[in-house]
Amino acid sequence: MYTIRVKLGVTIGFILLIMFTMIKYVPALSQDPLNSAMQATGAHLQEYSINAWVKVPSSHLSDQELQNIVEQVMKELEMNEENYEIVHQQRNKQRIVRAEFIRPDYHAVAVAQVVPAKENGLEEEEEAYLVVNLESIIGEPISIIALQEKMNGIAKKIGDSPRISTCLIGWLDGKLMDGESQNLLKSAFSAIDGVIVDELDQEQYVSVTGFSPVITDYLQVGGKKININMAVRYSQYDNRTYLIIGSPIITREY
């Protein structure tokens, strides 16, 4: 069974940080296309993850100020202080304060981090970032757009131009026959008027990347607009075929 992974947080957030600083990003929020794409495949929606990161304007922050930031985020997420843990870490010249709430069906992490910025190969200044990640197993219908807007609002209170990345996970019984994975993905793209830009067909999975005009966020990669990424893989452990839909790209393992 596909379960929530506790190992996300800092790693995914700063992978996104590197990625988004290298390519164009236009922040905006639209209707609920990810749910529409999932529904078009007939897959059972099981899990979502939403990641946000933003640069903090003030760079010279004390550990207490970093802690204040993550406590503010957890309060915005309606978490009581007694229900989450705060950990301070020092990694080389990086200072990290992490607030984390875990239960079997829900995982929330807020990380405030100060890292040395390099100019001409010399470490002269510091930069501060906030990364927030939510993961949840879904037991009832939920508005992904509402969650994205909430995450965007929380991050905007800390810094300008937050970046939001969303993943949905659904499943179908059994293993698909040859060609059915591609047809499944085409159905999902069709539901959101998407155009496939790139496709990767591996033995373990099929992954496609493209652009949908109903999703107003996008990345500019190699002269092409990208804002939707889907993958299909089969799990022999539970005899299910999993569908992962990410926007602008999938930011978790599959």
Side-chain angles (χ1 to χ4, degrees):
M1 180 176 179
Y2 221 102
T3 57
I4 291 180
R5 297 177 178 82
V6 179
K7 59 186 176 183
L8 293 180
V10 176
T11 302
I12 289 297
F14 283 90
I15 288 174
L16 286 171
L17 169 60
I18 295 171
M19 178 188 71
F20 283 120
T21 53
M22 296 175 62
I23 47 189
K24 183 177 180 181
Y25 181 91
V26 178
L29 294 173
S30 182
Q31 45 186 312
D32 212 336
L34 301 189
N35 267 328
S36 297
M38 184 69 74
Q39 291 169 6
T41 68
H44 303 275
L45 182 57
Q46 176 177 300
E47 183 180 339
Y48 74 80
S49 66
I50 299 181
N51 178 280
W53 74 264
V54 67
K55 186 174 182 179
V56 181
S58 301
S59 57
H60 298 286
L61 299 175
S62 66
D63 286 359
Q64 183 58 54
E65 288 172 319
L66 293 176
Q67 179 170 326
N68 292 342
I69 290 175
V70 298
E71 287 178 339
Q72 177 184 339
V73 171
M74 299 305 273
K75 183 178 181 180
E76 295 281 350
L77 293 174
E78 302 176 359
M79 300 289 177
N80 295 324
E81 292 183 15
E82 61 269 20
N83 294 333
Y84 62 85
E85 180 183 12
I86 291 182
V87 176
H88 290 248
Q89 296 175 304
Q90 181 86 30
R91 297 177 181 174
N92 297 323
K93 295 186 178 181
Q94 300 180 18
R95 292 182 291 111
I96 303 166
V97 178
R98 176 188 182 102
E100 187 167 23
F101 171 84
I102 301 176
R103 71 183 187 204
D105 63 340
Y106 186 78
H107 181 208
V109 181
V111 178
Q113 180 167 1
V114 172
V115 299
K118 293 184 179 181
E119 184 176 342
N120 298 323
L122 300 176
E123 296 177 357
E124 297 181 353
E125 297 292 337
E126 288 185 331
E127 293 181 344
Y129 297 91
L130 168 69
V131 178
V132 185
N133 194 76
L134 300 182
E135 293 183 318
S136 180
I137 293 174
I138 302 173
E140 57 187 24
I142 191 168
S143 171
I144 297 301
I145 287 300
L147 287 169
Q148 291 172 325
E149 290 175 343
K150 182 173 184 176
M151 289 283 275
N152 191 62
I154 291 172
K156 273 190 172 181
K157 292 181 180 180
I158 306 300
D160 295 329
S161 302
R163 308 295 192 250
I164 308 294
S165 182
T166 308
C167 283
L168 303 185
I169 296 172
W171 57 270
L172 296 162
D173 280 319
K175 184 176 183 179
L176 300 182
M177 303 298 290
D178 291 343
E180 289 184 333
S181 292
Q182 291 82 351
N183 291 336
L184 192 76
L185 293 170
K186 288 178 182 178
S187 295
F189 264 79
S190 179
I192 55 175
D193 298 325
V195 176
I196 295 176
V197 174
D198 190 29
E199 181 174 344
L200 182 62
D201 193 341
Q202 298 288 330
E203 183 178 352
Q204 297 85 2
Y205 65 90
V206 178
S207 175
V208 293
T209 305
F211 177 80
S212 168
V214 301
I215 303 174
T216 49
D217 300 349
Y218 69 88
L219 306 175
Q220 191 81 28
V221 183
K224 298 179 180 179
K225 293 180 180 179
I226 299 295
N227 63 7
I228 189 75
N229 183 198
M230 305 185 193
V232 175
R233 72 163 183 87
Y234 172 70
S235 170
Q236 62 181 350
Y237 300 106
D238 50 15
N239 190 32
R240 286 180 175 178
T241 296
Y242 286 95
L243 172 65
I244 305 97
I245 301 178
S247 181
I249 62 170
I250 296 171
T251 55
R252 58 182 300 160
E253 294 180 2
Y254 58 86

